[in-house]
Amino acid sequence: MGNASLAQRVRGLTLLVVGDSWARNLGVGAADADRDRRNIVVNAGEGGCGLMQPVQIRARGKMVTAPSACNTWPERWRDLVARYHPSAVLLEVGYWDGQDSQQLPGQDDVSSITEPVFRSRFDAQIDRAVHILSADGARVYVPTVIDNEGAARANSDAMNAAVHAAVRRNSQARLLDLHDQMCSPAKICPAKIAGIQVYDETGHPSGRAHDRLGAWILNSIYTDLHNSRSSLRARNQ
């Protein structure tokens, strides 16, 4: 799972992390993995915030008004890009937007990524997010999600399909296969990998897990950007 350490060559990145609580957790891991502070990690992940700009959300079993801070992500992210000029962005919203927890404008009840109306809105919103986050030239990396158990498996399958489709549509987006780091092809996501407890009591990656995943994220992004620059130089020679 992940990488044991950050590769020595990985330096000079400015990584902006946006999205839900998994984004925030992975942002902490990326900062922890970079012990020598060779890169800048701007962690703007917020728990309970996705892309859908709902009217209400389900919190502790009750429907409540969606936090305004979540629904103003276009303005906030545009400001972050202008302030930090990131070389790469980690956009993680698959866990929050993959739950049956949001009432969208014009709806009377919660809906989910498995439903056509929700999926259509999600597609439009993630395309909008990639456009905003890449406006200064950054590449946007979108992780897959782990497999849910039981009936909720349909949600994680649908979210992974939506993420793959979004990356195919958007030339500035790239896939980060987080699922492959944490789950098997048979969709088994063990609680321990190589002796490491994968999840904490909140269901997010544990400290050791998110540090390894953070190193993997930085290593993967650096390698992708480096290879792209090398290919561009070769074509221009």
Side-chain angles (χ1 to χ4, degrees):
M1 174 185 58
N3 295 148
S5 61
L6 188 65
Q8 283 297 316
R9 67 182 182 279
V10 179
R11 61 185 65 245
L13 294 176
T14 298
L15 176 65
L16 172 62
V17 180
V18 295
D20 57 23
S21 58
W22 269 69
R24 182 175 59 199
N25 180 282
L26 295 173
V28 171
D32 287 351
D34 189 13
R35 302 183 191 282
D36 297 329
R37 298 294 182 262
R38 303 193 304 265
N39 306 276
I40 297 170
V41 178
V42 181
N43 192 348
E46 294 199 28
C49 289
L51 294 175
M52 299 301 287
Q53 296 178 299
V55 177
Q56 291 188 311
I57 63 170
R58 181 184 289 133
R60 299 181 180 88
K62 296 181 179 180
M63 297 304 296
V64 299
T65 301
S68 59
C70 294
N71 286 355
T72 58
W73 62 261
E75 294 79 17
R76 288 189 294 106
W77 295 358
R78 194 175 285 113
D79 290 346
L80 287 168
V81 169
R83 179 178 179 183
Y84 292 102
H85 304 287
S87 45
V89 181
L90 178 70
L91 169 62
E92 167 59 275
V93 293
Y95 291 95
W96 178 253
D97 283 339
Q99 301 181 69
D100 299 344
S101 57
Q102 304 182 70
Q103 179 191 337
L104 303 181
Q107 294 185 336
D108 296 325
D109 201 357
V110 297
S111 57
S112 79
I113 189 68
T114 62
E115 299 171 40
V117 172
F118 190 106
R119 170 64 188 271
S120 178
R121 184 177 176 88
F122 180 84
D123 289 347
Q125 293 288 79
I126 197 169
D127 290 353
R128 182 185 183 192
V130 170
H131 178 74
I132 289 170
L133 295 169
S134 64
D136 199 45
R139 188 163 287 179
V140 182
Y141 294 85
V142 188
T144 51
V145 300
I146 63 171
D147 298 300
N148 295 335
E149 296 182 352
R153 173 69 57 78
N155 289 48
S156 53
D157 286 349
M159 179 54 71
N160 279 330
V163 166
H164 278 268
V167 170
R168 289 194 297 269
R169 283 194 308 274
N170 291 280
S171 62
Q172 279 298 101
R174 294 292 184 273
L175 190 75
L176 274 181
D177 199 350
L178 188 69
H179 175 276
D180 190 50
Q181 294 294 311
M182 304 178 76
C183 306
S184 73
K187 299 191 176 182
I188 297 172
C189 307
K192 280 190 176 184
I193 299 176
I196 296 173
Q197 188 72 33
V198 179
Y199 307 101
D200 63 18
E201 64 279 1
T202 69
H204 297 87
S206 68
R208 289 185 67 193
H210 68 47
D211 287 0
R212 289 182 66 100
L213 291 168
W216 168 75
I217 287 168
L218 289 172
N219 289 341
S220 299
I221 289 174
Y222 180 88
T223 298
D224 179 64
L225 292 175
H226 177 77
N227 289 344
S228 294
R229 287 192 292 267
S230 297
S231 296
L232 181 62
R233 285 195 298 268
R235 287 197 299 270
N236 291 334
Q237 288 177 351

